[in-house]
Each structure stands twice: as C-alpha cells, then as structure tokens.
Amino acid sequence: MLGGAAHLLTFAGSDTMSAAYYVQHVLNGGRPVATSVPATEHSVMTAYQSERQAVMRVLDEYGKGVVACVLDSYDYARALRDVLPIVAERQVRDGGVFVIRPDSGDQVEAVLMGLQAADKVFGSTLNSKGYKVIRNASVIQGDGVTLDSLERILDAVLNAGFSAECVGFGMGGGLLQKLDRDMMGMAVKLSSITYEDGQTRDIMKFPKQGSSKVSLPGKFSVHADAAQNGAPVAYRASHAPSDPDLLQLVYDCGPVPGHTWDSFDAVRARLDDQWTRFPKIARAVSDDLLDYQKLIHDRQEQRVNDGSAFA
C-alpha cells in the first residue's frame, strides 16, 4: 500500500485498490487521486469460445474509450495477425484506443511485434521529432518490467522508429519491491545524542569496509538554494542561512500537537513543480557540513585506532 501510494505522487494510473483508497480517503480528504482503464486478464479471455469473441465483447462495452486486452492466452503472433485487424476496424469507427498487452516471451520482441502489427492495421502519423505515433492503439508491457528491461525496450522502440508515447509499462514488483533504500541512497541514521547528564555528542557512521555508507554528523537544517533553483541543501543547524528551515518537527516522543499535514494533492503539486525546476544533479550538502563531517570522522577514526571505541 505504501509503495502504491508513493507511486501515485508521480503517476495517475493505478490498479492497486488499497493504495488508491488509502490516498483518497486518508491522505486527500476524499478527493480522487488514481485512475485506471478497463482491462482483461487471461481468465476473461479464455472464458470465451475464442479470443475474437472475448475481444469483441470487451469492445461492445468499452470500445469508445481506452481498453486493454491481454493477447497471449494462446498464440500472441496469431492474435496480432488474425484478431487485431478486426479490432482496428471497430476502434477506428468508434474512436476508442485499443491497448495491446503481451504477457510472456522476450519483452523487447513482444513489444515490437505489437507495435509493428498495430502500425500495419491502425496506421500512424509522424510527430515533430520524426517518430511514428500509432492511431487508436498502443502497447503496454507489464510482465517482469525492471529498470534495465524498461531501458532496453525503449531503446528498441525508438530504434524501430516509434515514439515512446506508443508504449506504456506496468508498475509491478520489478519496479517496486526491487527498488530498495540502498539503490535510492536513502537511510535514517543517528547523528547527534544528548545524554542524561546534558552532554551532547555528534555522531556519524563510517564503516571501514563500506565507505559508501558514511553518514552525516550533528544537527541539521535544510534550506532552499537559490543558486540551484530552490533545490534543498543540508547545513549544520548552528551555521545555517537565515531563511526558513524546510525541516519540520512532526514527531518528538509522539506526534507533535497541532501539526497539520499537507493534502496529497498539495504534495503531488509540489513534487511536480520541483521535479521540473530543480537541476538533475544538485549539491545537496553544504561545504561547511562536509568539513564538519571530516572533522568528526577524524575524531572517531582516532578512537578506533587507539581502541577506545571498543573499550
């Protein structure tokens, strides 16, 4: 559910009912967030006497809008050859969009087969960049998509002369469960502690065998950097700019009384603005904080070398 909710910050389409319900009714005041389209799966397709019957029944119900059909229940190539021409005639007449879904075999080959078959029977136009945009049809690949296979598919689609807008992707386990905190470079670490006697010690993690897992020490504040179109930069709290701190205290031995969370719509709008405004590569940590990190690192390394860190 949480992964599906995070997905909806940057995408509108979802079939994850638990996430759609949670975001709409818990995070967004009842205002709808997710959308979907009518789509078949193999049980629906094989319940009919023939694949043609199944597709035509779906078109009777939803043919004037966007509808997706899985076409590999028996023979994907035969379905593209024998069923798709009938679909094209119907869809062009009704003005709907037919989404071809392969669900087995080589991903790149299956997507290209669908695009080429659709181009043959639906026709296409050229966009301003010279790539084909298929009329009234597209392909969606949802089976086992990963970041690697997604890139390979899109490279092949463009090399074949088709626009990327002709292809959609399913956001399944490969793009959700296989994206972890290490890949995204995210972790929560202790950076400062105040003991019962009032003594405060700034702390950082620096595994000798894992330099990529070094953390930042001390208390922080985060500020918008005008030189980077407002991208956030972390500072030492004691050496921060005078403009407002972007960090908000929301939990301190329990939820902070009186704090009001932004709506999901507001977070989505802010993310959309920042995604287009911030540089793709930004300086996220101030020079002063990096210098302080080195200072604390040297102190702690000395404690490791003299054995006091293990006493």
Side-chain angles (χ1 to χ4, degrees), residues 15 45 47 58 99 101 103 106 108 111 113 118 123 139 143 156 169 183 199 217 220 230 265-266 272 280 284 293 303:
D15 290 325
M45 301 301 290
V58 170
V99 183
R101 181 163 79 93
D103 198 49
D106 181 81
V108 173
V111 169
M113 286 174 62
V139 176
D143 175 49
F169 296 92
M183 177 177 288
Q199 178 189 359
F220 315 127
D265 283 341
D272 184 59
K280 292 182 179 180
Q293 180 192 48
R303 295 185 66 241

Side-chain angles (χ1 to χ4, degrees), residues 188-203:
V188 177
K189 303 297 180 186
L190 178 66
S191 62
S192 182
I193 186 170
T194 301
Y195 298 101
E196 287 183 341
D197 62 3
Q199 178 189 359
T200 295
R201 185 164 71 94
D202 291 342
I203 300 168

Side-chain angles (χ1 to χ4, degrees), residues 189 204-215 293 297:
K189 303 297 180 186
M204 62 178 289
K205 174 184 175 182
F206 64 105
K208 188 173 183 179
Q209 287 81 20
S211 60
S212 64
K213 292 190 174 184
V214 171
S215 62
Q293 180 192 48
H297 174 273

Side-chain angles (χ1 to χ4, degrees), residues 157-193:
V157 167
L158 295 178
N159 288 335
F162 293 97
S163 169
E165 68 186 282
C166 297
V167 186
F169 296 92
M171 177 75 176
L175 291 176
L176 184 59
Q177 282 84 12
K178 291 182 181 179
L179 291 182
D180 54 34
R181 68 189 184 114
D182 290 336
M183 177 177 288
M184 305 308 292
M186 183 273 175
V188 177
K189 303 297 180 186
L190 178 66
S191 62
S192 182
I193 186 170

Side-chain angles (χ1 to χ4, degrees), residues 131-153:
Y131 291 98
K132 292 181 180 180
V133 178
I134 299 172
R135 302 187 189 98
N136 300 95
S138 63
V139 176
I140 184 169
Q141 175 64 38
D143 175 49
V145 178
T146 65
L147 289 175
D148 177 67
S149 66
L150 192 153
E151 185 174 357
R152 287 190 287 107
I153 292 169

Side-chain angles (χ1 to χ4, degrees), residues 25-106:
H25 295 287
V26 178
L27 303 182
N28 209 42
R31 294 181 298 277
V33 173
T35 61
S36 187
V37 301
T40 70
E41 44 77 58
H42 297 96
S43 297
V44 172
M45 301 301 290
T46 56
Y48 288 83
Q49 294 294 326
S50 73
E51 209 157 38
R52 179 184 180 279
Q53 288 181 13
V55 171
M56 297 311 290
R57 180 70 177 92
V58 170
L59 294 183
D60 286 342
E61 293 291 331
Y62 307 109
K64 293 184 179 181
V66 180
V67 59
C69 282
V70 62
L71 292 182
D72 74 331
S73 297
Y74 306 108
D75 186 329
Y76 181 56
R78 282 284 298 270
L80 293 176
R81 187 190 72 190
D82 297 342
V83 179
L84 201 59
I86 304 169
V87 174
E89 181 181 344
R90 175 76 170 270
Q91 289 294 88
V92 171
R93 184 195 73 193
D94 292 343
V97 176
F98 187 78
V99 183
I100 301 164
R101 181 163 79 93
D103 198 49
S104 56
D106 181 81

